Amino acid sequence: MTAHQNGTIAIEVSEFLLHCFVRSPRWQFWLSLPLSFLFLVAMGANATLLITIRLEASLHQPMYYLLSLLSLLDIVLCLTVIPKVLAIFWFGLKSISFAACFLQMFIMNCFLAMESCTFMVMAYDRYIAICHPLRYPSIITDQFVAKAVIFILARSALLTVPIPLLSARLSYCERNVIENCICANMSVSRLSCGDVIINRLYQFAGGWTLLGSDLILIFLSYTLILRAVLRLKAEGAVAKALSTCGSHFILILFFSTILLVFVLTHAVKKKVSPDVPVLLNVLHHVIPAALNPIVYGVRTQEIKQGIQRLLKKGW
C-alpha cells in the first residue's frame, strides 16, 4: 500500500490488464484474422530467408548477413507482440504481470531501434557499393559486419534500457488498465500515481536521437547514391545501380511510413479515434516483418535462386 500526502492510502496493483479496442469490440475478431495471417507469413518468410542464407554458400556475403540480422529482429518483434495480442482477442487473456510487461516494453523499444540502425548500416553498404564499387570488397568485409552488429546491439540496448527502468520505478495505485494491446511506455506510465515527466522527456529525446539520426543518415546516403547514379553515362547503368538498392529503399519506406503515420495520429489524437494509434502500434510490429523478406525474395535474384535450389533439394 502507498500513503499519499493527504493521508489517504492507495492500494498498489500487482498486474496490468491490456484493454484494446474497447470502443470497437468487433474489431478484435475481424482484426485477428488478417493479423494471424500476417504473423504466419512473417514467421514463415523470415525463417525461409534465414535458412536460405545459412545453407547457400553463395549468399555468405556482408549484405546478406545484414539481411539475416533484419529477419532475426523481425521474428523477435513479432513473437514479443502478436501472440499476446491474439490471446487477448481470442481468449480474453488481458492480464500481464509487471515483469512481463516491462520486458515486452524493453524488447519492443530496443529491437525497433536495432532495426532502424540496421537499415542505416544497409544504406551505408549500398552507398559504398554504388559510389565506391572498387573499394567495396575492402570496406564492407565480414569484420565490418561483426563490428556493425556489436555497435547496433550496444547502442540500442544502452539507450533503450532506461525506458522500462523509468516506468518500473513508478508507483501504480488503483488503476491498472492499459488502454493498448501492448505495454507501450506512455500507455503504462500514465497509469502511475507518480510524476511521469522524466518518462515523457526521455521517450521523446531517446526516440528522436535513435530513429531521427538514423533517418537523417539514410536520407544522406540515398542523396549521395542518387547523385552518383545520375552521373553514370553507360547504357543501362542507371537502372542496374538503382535496382541494387531498390529493395532496401522499399523496406525503409515500409518501416518509416507506418512509424510516421503513428506519430502523426498521436499528434492529432483529438481528431481521430483512440483506437487508431493502438491499431497502428500493433501493425507496425507485423506488417514490415511480413513484407521485408518477401520484397527481398522477389527482387533479389540470388535469394530467389537460393530458395528454388532449397525447394528442389527438399523434393
Side-chain angles (χ1 to χ4, degrees), residues 4-313:
H4 290 303
Q5 291 179 347
N6 59 11
T8 59
I9 296 177
I11 300 174
E12 290 193 0
V13 297
S14 59
E15 65 177 10
F16 293 121
L17 295 176
L18 293 164
H19 279 212
C20 46
F21 306 125
V22 176
R23 298 166 190 82
S24 311
R26 291 184 180 179
W27 279 31
Q28 295 196 11
F29 173 74
W30 294 112
L31 180 60
S32 70
L33 300 179
L35 195 62
S36 55
F37 173 74
L38 286 170
F39 175 68
L40 292 174
V41 170
M43 292 294 101
N46 281 291
T48 301
L49 194 61
L50 282 171
I51 292 169
T52 302
I53 293 172
R54 173 69 181 84
L55 297 181
E56 283 293 314
S58 62
L59 299 178
H60 293 177
Q61 300 175 31
M63 182 178 73
Y64 299 113
Y65 293 148
L66 291 171
L67 187 56
S68 296
L69 175 61
L70 191 63
S71 288
L72 195 59
L73 295 175
D74 283 336
I75 287 174
V76 174
L77 275 170
C78 275
L79 288 173
T80 302
V81 173
I82 305 305
K84 180 60 180 176
V85 174
L86 292 176
I88 295 171
F89 288 175
W90 290 340
F91 309 113
L93 300 177
K94 299 177 181 179
S95 65
I96 184 169
S97 68
F98 275 25
C101 187
F102 295 129
L103 178 61
Q104 186 190 62
M105 187 186 297
F106 170 70
I107 292 174
M108 288 189 301
N109 284 282
C110 182
F111 278 65
L112 281 174
M114 286 169 63
E115 193 159 304
S116 173
C117 194
T118 302
F119 281 130
M120 185 263 290
V121 174
M122 292 172 76
Y124 177 73
D125 169 87
R126 293 299 86 201
Y127 162 73
I128 298 297
I130 292 174
C131 298
H132 304 283
L134 297 179
R135 296 176 59 197
Y136 182 84
S138 61
I139 296 175
I140 309 298
T141 62
D142 290 351
Q143 289 77 16
F144 168 83
V145 173
K147 291 177 182 177
V149 170
I150 293 171
F151 170 75
I152 291 168
L153 290 170
R155 170 185 183 253
S156 302
L158 289 174
L159 290 177
T160 58
V161 75
I163 294 175
L165 292 179
L166 286 171
S167 292
R169 74 178 176 84
L170 297 170
S171 297
Y172 296 92
C173 330
E174 299 175 357
R175 293 193 304 160
N176 71 332
V177 177
I178 301 170
E179 294 189 2
N180 206 328
C181 297
I182 58 180
C183 288
N185 176 34
M186 295 318 301
S187 297
V188 174
S189 59
R190 70 166 58 102
L191 300 178
S192 169
C193 45
D195 186 8
V196 299
I197 186 65
I198 296 176
N199 296 60
R200 292 180 183 275
L201 288 174
Y202 192 87
Q203 178 81 20
F204 179 81
W208 284 110
T209 299
L210 288 167
L211 303 181
S213 61
D214 290 343
L215 286 175
I216 290 170
L217 290 171
I218 289 169
F219 177 77
L220 178 62
S221 295
Y222 273 96
T223 301
L224 295 172
I225 288 171
L226 186 61
R227 189 178 71 172
V229 164
L230 293 177
R231 290 177 179 174
L232 297 174
K233 293 182 171 55
E235 187 177 348
V238 172
K240 184 178 179 180
L242 290 176
S243 67
T244 63
C245 57
S247 301
H248 179 236
F249 189 69
I250 292 171
L251 302 192
I252 293 170
L253 285 178
F254 288 151
F255 181 83
S256 58
T257 301
I258 295 179
L259 192 64
L260 181 61
V261 171
F262 175 63
V263 171
L264 291 175
T265 52
H266 259 292
V268 294
K269 56 186 174 183
K270 292 182 179 179
K271 297 181 181 180
V272 298
S273 168
D275 287 332
V276 174
V278 173
L279 175 63
L280 290 171
N281 214 339
V282 173
L283 293 179
H284 182 57
H285 290 85
V286 68
I287 289 181
L291 294 179
N292 288 352
I294 293 174
V295 169
Y296 257 98
V298 169
R299 291 183 56 90
T300 308
Q301 193 66 26
E302 292 84 357
I303 292 177
K304 193 188 300 183
Q305 291 173 349
I307 293 173
Q308 289 172 349
R309 282 194 290 269
L310 285 180
L311 290 175
K312 288 178 181 178
K313 289 178 183 177

